[in-house]
Amino acid sequence: MLEIAYAEVETPMGMIGVMADPYVVRRIYFVQSSADLKRSLVHDCPGWQNLHQNDLTNQSVAQLNEFFSAQRSVFTLPLSTESFSWFARRVYSALANVPYGQVITYGALARLAGSPGAARAVGTIMAKNPFPVVVPCHRVVRGNGQLGNYSGGFGAVTKQHLIELESRHASRFAGDSAGYSA
């Protein structure tokens, strides 16, 4: 039986839960409470053993805290991506090239991923992002400049706050590698 650990971190955007096995982060959740996180864990990983934290959840919490205090622009967490389709892998790889503090449209991200005209498919992948904040889907906006939807936290309000947080501190990280590193 795989030991699944979890941890919670209170952020300016609300509570975030992290689920990890000993090797990879399996999921990041925006949650309302500890009970919500545990329900999500039971749903996503039936039979999980109640190991509260491990080194990877502790590392995830530390990196999230650093991000929200503008001390980190790139995450270096091993992520569970084995269930991603080839197209999702290409989209997330292209997203990793969008620098902290900048945004890109769904259409432009589709072009970067090598699939011009696949903006809606990119939107679907962003909506299913299992690693919000760490994989910065909040940086992807509509072609008309409107925010669009966001599946984490309080939806578009959370997306706007994340974009503003990065915009305020982008100059601090100029020259850093873009996106995230898995």
Side-chain angles (χ1 to χ4, degrees), residues 90-100 109 135-136 139 177-181:
R90 286 182 24 207
V91 169
Y92 287 130
S93 178
L95 179 59
N97 294 309
V98 178
Y100 179 96
L109 185 57
V135 174
R139 296 180 188 155
S177 296
Y180 62 97
S181 171

Side-chain angles (χ1 to χ4, degrees), residues 11-167:
T11 76
M13 307 302 130
M15 186 181 293
I16 294 179
V18 178
M19 177 176 66
D21 64 34
Y23 311 103
V24 292
V25 175
R26 300 177 66 80
R27 184 85 194 222
I28 294 177
Y29 306 88
F30 276 96
V31 293
Q32 299 297 316
S33 67
S34 297
D36 286 345
L37 176 58
K38 289 178 184 174
R39 277 192 292 278
S40 295
L41 290 168
V42 168
H43 177 267
D44 291 343
C45 195
W48 69 286
Q49 294 181 4
N50 189 5
L51 176 64
H52 185 63
Q53 292 179 320
N54 66 15
D55 290 340
L56 195 46
T57 59
N58 292 336
Q59 182 182 0
S60 300
V61 166
Q63 289 190 24
L64 284 162
N65 281 327
E66 291 167 357
F67 174 82
F68 283 107
S69 64
Q71 301 301 309
R72 171 177 292 276
S73 65
V74 177
F75 289 89
T76 58
L77 300 168
L79 305 175
S80 174
T81 60
E82 69 273 355
S83 66
F84 289 179
S85 69
W86 66 270
F87 182 61
R89 288 175 195 269
R90 286 182 24 207
V91 169
Y92 287 130
S93 178
L95 179 59
N97 294 309
V98 178
Y100 179 96
Q102 294 185 20
V103 295
I104 189 170
T105 65
Y106 293 101
L109 185 57
R111 286 189 296 280
L112 275 178
S115 297
R120 285 183 183 229
V122 166
T124 299
I125 290 168
M126 296 295 100
K128 295 178 181 179
N129 177 9
F131 310 107
V133 181
V134 172
V135 174
C137 60
H138 58 273
R139 296 180 188 155
V140 187
V141 298
R142 292 181 177 160
N144 63 7
Q146 292 181 344
L147 290 180
N149 296 322
Y150 189 67
S151 59
F154 298 103
V157 171
T158 299
K159 186 174 189 172
Q160 180 67 44
H161 284 295
L162 290 167
I163 290 170
E164 289 173 0
L165 170 78
E166 290 189 6
S167 293

